[in-house]
Amino acid sequence: MTSTLCKHRFPLIAPAGSLFRPGDCTGCGLTFAASQAELERQAEQIRLHTAHEGNCEYCTRSAVVFQFQREAMPWDEADPPVRWLCMGCWTGAAEVADGLTYSEISAALDSPSGSAFARFVFGGAR
């Protein structure tokens, strides 16, 4: 017996008067939300299984550190670096990565008065 793995193609659907949104997978019917939830669950498992004692790359405190890698941005030539952050810094980095718009990121990277934490998360320098 053979089985095939669905590649999860989510077609873009435009309901009347709204923006495009991903629809259910055309191969297996999996919803886009369920797919995103599963990917987040897998990422959380990786973070928990790779945690170890070490020094946080941002605050330099000795603690259990967790893997953090932001999403790729247009200015990245390669994958963004993996950072090892303590729980507090990891939470802050996730909030910064999720909460800033592209223009706010550009301002933080260009201005010395911008957020040092945003520069660390997006630009690599502290």
Side-chain angles (χ1 to χ4, degrees):
M1 180 166 116
T2 62
S3 63
T4 59
L5 298 176
C6 181
K7 300 297 183 201
H8 299 304
R9 291 175 297 201
F10 298 101
L12 292 179
I13 299 170
S18 69
L19 298 174
F20 285 100
R21 63 175 176 74
D24 294 347
C25 176
T26 57
C28 67
L30 179 72
T31 65
F32 184 74
S35 171
Q36 293 301 100
E38 175 60 18
L39 291 174
E40 182 56 36
R41 186 193 68 75
Q42 291 174 15
E44 182 69 19
Q45 289 297 315
I46 291 170
R47 280 191 292 274
L48 294 176
H49 284 69
T50 58
H52 61 276
E53 286 286 331
N55 290 332
C56 175
E57 290 184 31
Y58 186 73
C59 70
T60 68
R61 163 176 88 149
S62 180
V64 174
V65 291
F66 299 87
Q67 178 179 328
F68 177 82
Q69 185 175 27
R70 64 170 169 76
E71 291 184 21
M73 293 290 167
W75 59 81
D76 291 328
E77 294 179 7
D79 286 338
V82 172
R83 306 277 188 205
W84 293 96
L85 304 174
C86 66
M87 193 61 190
C89 291
W90 188 96
T91 302
E95 289 173 358
V96 166
D98 289 342
L100 293 182
T101 64
Y102 182 75
S103 61
E104 291 169 328
I105 294 168
S106 297
L109 294 177
D110 293 340
S111 169
S113 63
S115 166
F117 202 55
R119 285 196 302 277
F120 173 78
V121 171
F122 290 99
R126 190 165 70 140

